[in-house]
Amino acid sequence: MKKILLPTDFSDNAWCAAVYALKLYEKEDCTFYFLHSYKMKASAMSNISNKLLRSMADNAMQELLELKDMAERANDNLNHNFEVVLSASAMDDAIDMAITKYNIDLIVMGTKGATGAKEIFMGSNTVKIIKHVKSSPILLIPHEFDFEEPKQIAFPTDFNRFYGEELLPLKNLSKLHDSKIRILHINEEKNLSHQQDYNLAMLKAYLEENPHTFHWMPDYTKKENAIKDFIEELNIDILVMINYEHSFIESIINEPVIKKIGFHATIPFFVIPSSA
């Protein structure tokens, strides 16, 4: 049984991400865990009494139970179970705890929280969680994104890394809806090195059981623009990347906000933690 964590701040964006997860895993046996953290900033905590804190916890639990009830009514899938988890820890620590305690396979969350501005690529909490979580893939759902059966998955790679078991989440994602994996390489070099050739051959072998194709794009613009064009040209439904050191993901989440505007999350973004 798949165990899927749904962090929530009770925003529309968080609910939208939960609905996407329910539909993506419609045919699978799953337990979904709605997780809420009511941890406040230290500066605000000093002025709050224990009575008020208990009241906040009670209210948050009530909202979690209402969310669970809403999910059960909206989703009559007998393969799906729902649990609620309330934490007084910061969200990233609460997620770590839940991953360990419940053997979580995947985190599904929105790209922005309740106060998310349209021009920002990802909310600060989302970025913090991507940087922090090392033991579970994260599927990020854009605001107000309606589910469409994912038939095309993009996986950009420079072939500089050897991919082994860390590609298992990609393979499993592809199997859910018999999706094709479109492997994108942007030609930053005239010829592949021996190491790149070897990694390409191993990637072909590893994805043998999944429908896949290789695509080569000229290095004509910024990497984020090339990926964006590829997504549009091939009607890509989910973008998958591995979050390793000095990766493209690291560069876009470390850039100033103004630079992130060019790389909007227009489709679900599946982040796999690096095993190295």
Side-chain angles (χ1 to χ4, degrees):
M1 180 175 279
K2 284 277 179 194
K3 297 187 175 179
I4 298 170
L5 189 66
L6 304 172
T8 182
D9 56 3
F10 307 121
S11 64
D12 289 344
N13 196 18
W15 173 247
C16 174
V19 169
Y20 187 96
L22 298 183
K23 291 181 177 177
L24 183 66
Y25 286 89
E26 191 175 27
K27 298 169 188 171
E28 304 295 309
D29 292 343
C30 299
T31 298
F32 295 94
Y33 297 85
F34 285 108
L35 168 67
H36 178 73
S37 157
Y38 65 97
K39 168 93 172 174
M40 298 190 71
K41 290 180 180 175
S43 56
M45 285 290 290
S46 58
N47 299 319
I48 289 184
S49 67
N50 286 337
K51 185 179 177 184
L52 185 55
L53 213 55
R54 280 197 301 273
S55 175
M56 284 171 55
D58 290 343
N59 290 339
M61 179 54 81
Q62 186 58 39
E63 283 199 78
L64 273 175
L65 292 172
E66 287 171 7
L67 194 59
K68 178 187 174 185
D69 183 57
M70 188 162 72
E72 286 172 342
R73 282 187 283 111
N75 179 66
D76 55 2
N77 192 327
L78 297 177
N79 301 327
H80 290 172
N81 301 313
F82 298 92
E83 302 289 345
V84 297
V85 184
L86 182 64
S87 175
S89 301
M91 182 55 94
D92 49 351
D93 292 328
I95 286 173
D96 271 348
M97 175 279 298
I99 289 171
T100 303
K101 185 173 181 181
Y102 303 108
N103 294 316
I104 296 298
D105 298 297
L106 173 69
I107 301 162
V108 183
M109 59 189 292
T111 51
K112 291 185 279 284
T115 56
K118 283 184 180 176
E119 65 274 11
I120 296 175
F121 166 54
M122 283 185 202
S124 57
N125 280 340
T126 309
V127 168
K128 190 177 177 184
I129 288 162
I130 291 173
K131 289 180 177 181
H132 183 81
V133 173
K134 305 295 183 192
S135 54
S136 172
I138 304 171
L139 178 57
L140 300 162
I141 311 300
H143 185 50
E144 294 182 346
F145 189 86
D146 291 327
F147 178 82
E148 290 179 15
E149 192 176 16
K151 287 300 180 186
Q152 309 286 342
I153 297 172
F155 179 62
T157 176
D158 56 14
F159 301 129
N160 285 326
R161 284 173 60 83
F162 172 79
Y163 297 119
E165 289 304 301
E166 60 193 352
L167 280 186
L168 196 55
L170 170 61
K171 288 162 66 79
N172 291 338
L173 179 67
S174 166
K175 286 175 183 174
L176 285 175
H177 294 270
D178 197 27
S179 312
K180 290 184 174 64
I181 301 170
R182 307 295 191 184
I183 298 142
L184 167 64
H185 179 73
I186 298 164
N187 287 337
E188 295 176 284
E189 64 284 293
K190 284 187 178 179
N191 298 298
L192 295 184
S193 67
H194 291 306
Q195 187 63 48
Q196 285 175 307
D197 275 330
Y198 175 76
N199 292 338
L200 167 58
M202 294 308 293
L203 188 58
K204 282 180 181 174
Y206 195 73
L207 293 177
E208 196 175 20
E209 294 173 10
N210 300 83
H212 66 276
T213 52
F214 287 84
H215 302 262
W216 307 78
M217 285 184 78
D219 184 20
Y220 64 92
T221 182
K222 285 183 178 177
K223 201 172 283 187
E224 53 262 47
N225 291 337
I227 291 170
K228 197 171 159 188
D229 290 348
F230 187 75
I231 286 169
E232 289 171 4
E233 284 170 20
L234 273 80
N235 295 316
I236 297 297
D237 300 300
I238 298 178
L239 174 64
V240 177
M241 290 189 185
I242 295 177
N243 187 18
Y244 55 87
E245 197 177 353
H246 309 308
S247 67
F248 176 68
I249 293 175
E250 192 176 81
S251 71
I252 57 175
I253 63 178
N254 285 337
E255 282 182 8
V257 167
I258 197 71
K259 289 186 181 176
K260 294 178 194 168
I261 294 171
F263 191 76
H264 274 300
T266 53
I267 60 170
F269 188 19
F270 192 83
V271 179
I272 302 172
S274 170
S275 59

